[in-house]
Amino acid sequence: MRLSDATLSALPGGVARPRYDRAAVTPGILHLGLGAFHRAHQAVMTEAVLNDGARDWGIVAASLRSPDTRDALAPQDGLYAVAARESDDESLRVIGALRGLHVAPEDPAALLDAMADPRIRVASLTVTEKGYCHDPATGTLDETHPDIRHDLATPAAPRSAPGFLVEALARRRAAGLAPFTVLCCDNLPHNGATVRGVVTGMAALRDRGLSDWIANEVAFPCTMVDRIVPATTEEDRARIAAALGMDDAWPVVGERFSQWVIEDRFPSGRPDWALGGATFASDVAPFELMKLRMLNGAHSALAYLGYLAGHETVAEASNDPVLAAYLRGFWAEVAPTVPAPPGVDLRDYAAGLLARFRNRALQHRTWQIAMDGSQKVPQRLLGPVRDRLGQGAAIPHLALAVAAWVRYVGGVDEAGAAIDVRDPLASVLKAKLDAAGEDPAGRVAAVLGVEAVFGADLSRDVRFGAAVTEAYAAILRVGARRAVERLTTG
Ligand code: CS2
């Protein structure tokens, strides 16, 4: 038996399911990026709104690349299970909020039509950092990006998220419709403002009037999104099928914790996501900065150091006392660069993060987080580096994390095996390292010279270069775990 509208009533009593008539739900949200994170985060909060009786906030979701999720969910009428896991405890609920599924490359015109539907009032996104086709160091549109060039040449059949947003907004403007609010749910700094810059920047390359209209009429609220949602494993599928008493081709698994802080700027209306636990705020910046630097920064540091130290998962790495000591030092180093949001004690926040990382019920691979470092390192690690250097403060933990990234993108692990480095700049970084030879200082300088990551300032910063070189040399000499141990035990 397979999960679907027809089999919902056969689910065991303990599994929560839609309490509303799915057939009566109309689309209100168009979501780009149908990954596990969206399904375990915004879709769950939207489900609470639908359960409360709202009918006009169904989600139409699109994958911008692969058909896999659509192929898994379409035979299930868009239904899927979300498992919240901690220790031995797992609670399951089936989510009904997805009311339409698109695969952009198969039929970009159908997706554009869906985006131009007047009932759509929010266009939300989880397309990962690289999905915005921006320059990670400056946050501005990368006009040379192949997808952007393609979309400017062929606006009616876009590939990129900015390409879809610009064309859909152009159509709404031409039709005299109100725009939708663009809601970025990715871990970018000042994510709403950054995406606004990317979208207006791309529109300006087409039509100045369009870009002015977007700048004046479209809201891009900032958000802080947080829930740890690793990739689903085969073991998860089997365990969840047993618990459901039926198959779900693609359930999602995450921690119980979930947080969403949203800047309340929605001129075309919005669901009351507070019903699902979201908070609306007038200023999201402090929450976003704290989360990016303390959670995501520590995640990336742990991913590179942990991977090199032979740890497959975050839980394994953060339960290693040497790496746990590193994490505490990392948070102590980064916290002074983070103004605490109202009502938050940063020491409590860090302690909470350690407990979340240590959740052994999640199989969050260090390799997964290590992906796309060129797009993540700037806001997660280099922002705090700049602030600390500006204060004349030392950066031993941050420099070790950056050094571990340099070591990681070299593509060979400490046992001499190849690392599967996934990063849009992987080949650029590899070529620079290959050309640099064996000398640690030369290798570090080669990578730090990539201004798209380090910016013109850090690329040339002597203190930064020296700190990363020292850390990198230590990793080469004694291995990542011993280098961490030396740092944390003095
Ligand atoms: C992780 C995030 O993969 C990564 O880069 O750091 O996906 C992290 O798990 C989420 O942002 C948690 O909210």
Side-chain angles (χ1 to χ4, degrees):
M1 192 170 17
R2 176 124 177 224
L3 180 64
S4 73
D5 281 328
T7 59
L8 267 181
S9 59
L11 286 169
V15 178
R17 69 206 68 179
R19 293 196 303 265
Y20 53 93
D21 174 12
R22 294 187 76 218
V25 171
T26 55
I29 301 166
L30 188 300
H31 184 78
L32 300 180
L34 183 48
F37 182 71
H38 169 70
R39 296 200 281 136
H41 190 269
Q42 304 101 59
V44 171
M45 306 251 190
T46 306
E47 184 77 355
V49 175
L50 298 173
N51 273 332
D52 187 62
R55 288 290 163 267
D56 54 347
W57 288 112
I59 302 174
V60 175
S63 296
L64 291 188
R65 309 234 173 277
S66 129
D68 297 1
T69 308
R70 189 275 321 269
D71 291 349
L73 300 190
Q76 306 179 177
D77 303 315
L79 294 166
Y80 62 92
V82 176
R85 303 199 86 198
E86 217 165 281
S87 320
D88 294 334
D89 183 60
E90 176 163 75
S91 60
L92 287 167
R93 53 191 303 185
V94 168
I95 301 297
L98 297 184
R99 299 305 292 134
L101 298 166
H102 289 263
V103 178
E106 274 178 14
D107 195 347
L111 176 53
L112 285 169
D113 285 346
M115 296 178 83
D117 181 330
R119 295 173 298 176
I120 296 296
R121 283 147 291 150
V122 174
S124 55
L125 300 100
T126 52
V127 294
T128 79
E129 295 85 347
K130 66 174 177 281
Y132 295 93
C133 309
H134 68 306
D135 180 77
T138 61
T140 55
L141 179 73
D142 175 4
E143 296 179 14
T144 67
H145 194 291
D147 288 352
I148 297 301
R149 296 168 66 115
H150 170 275
D151 293 358
L152 288 168
T154 338
R159 282 184 189 151
S160 71
F164 275 102
L165 290 171
V166 170
E167 177 62 13
L169 287 166
R171 291 187 185 191
R172 293 181 80 107
R173 175 178 180 236
L177 292 174
F180 42 64
T181 295
V182 177
L183 189 64
C184 174
C185 299
D186 280 294
N187 293 310
L188 299 177
H190 309 293
N191 59 4
T194 300
V195 175
R196 180 179 191 265
V198 165
V199 170
T200 53
M202 182 170 182
L205 297 174
R206 286 178 48 169
D207 167 359
R208 182 42 75 186
L210 175 62
S211 102
D212 288 346
W213 182 78
I214 294 174
N216 293 328
E217 304 295 330
V218 183
F220 294 80
C222 285
T223 61
M224 182 268 245
V225 290
D226 190 9
R227 186 172 191 182
I228 294 175
V229 185
T232 306
T233 65
E234 279 313 317
E235 197 189 320
D236 293 327
R237 276 194 183 84
R239 190 188 62 249
I240 291 168
L244 295 177
M246 60 181 79
D247 288 331
D248 175 350
W250 208 333
V252 290
V253 177
E255 61 180 342
R256 252 194 241 134
F257 182 95
S258 186
Q259 191 178 13
W260 196 8
V261 185
I262 311 167
E263 186 187 352
D264 202 0
R265 253 180 339 108
F266 291 82
S268 304
R270 60 155 172 84
D272 186 7
W273 282 305
L275 292 164
T279 339
F280 291 96
S282 54
D283 184 12
V284 172
F287 293 97
E288 189 182 275
L289 196 72
M290 171 180 77
K291 195 265 175 171
L292 271 177
R293 292 186 173 188
M294 303 275 286
L295 189 158
N296 296 113
H299 242 180
S300 287
L302 196 67
Y304 299 117
L305 289 164
Y307 186 98
L308 294 170
H311 290 307
E312 209 187 322
T313 66
V314 171
E316 219 180 86
S318 54
N319 280 294
D320 173 342
V322 169
L323 289 170
Y326 170 83
L327 284 173
R328 293 197 183 91
F330 178 93
W331 285 317
E333 193 169 305
V334 169
T337 75
V338 175
V344 179
D345 177 313
L346 291 178
R347 271 164 313 188
D348 294 347
Y349 186 72
L353 293 179
L354 185 60
R356 291 169 64 194
F357 287 10
R358 286 181 156 173
N359 181 355
R360 289 193 188 269
L362 298 182
Q363 296 288 311
H364 203 181
R365 294 177 68 195
T366 47
W367 175 82
Q368 188 187 349
I369 298 167
M371 245 186 269
D372 295 342
S374 66
Q375 316 293 304
K376 295 174 177 175
V377 162
Q379 58 275 20
R380 295 181 180 200
L381 301 175
L382 304 182
V385 162
R386 283 191 179 89
D387 287 355
R388 285 198 60 97
L389 292 178
Q391 296 157 0
I395 51 164
H397 294 80
L398 288 158
L400 191 60
V402 174
W405 178 61
V406 176
R407 176 70 186 75
Y408 181 90
V409 297
V412 180
D413 73 13
E414 292 184 356
I419 303 175
D420 179 7
V421 178
R422 304 275 177 96
D423 192 302
L425 294 188
S427 53
V428 173
L429 294 164
K430 184 78 171 59
K432 293 213 176 267
L433 283 166
D434 287 348
E438 295 300 314
D439 173 40
R443 292 176 74 78
V444 167
V447 173
L448 267 46
V450 179
E451 286 192 18
V453 176
F454 292 95
D457 59 340
L458 287 182
S459 277
R460 297 189 191 98
D461 191 294
V462 178
R463 285 168 309 167
F464 179 59
V468 177
T469 302
E470 190 190 322
Y472 181 76
I475 293 176
L476 290 187
R477 229 176 19 247
V478 299
R481 191 167 181 280
R482 289 278 296 142
V484 171
E485 200 167 15
R486 286 185 182 188
L487 170 65
T488 54
T489 54

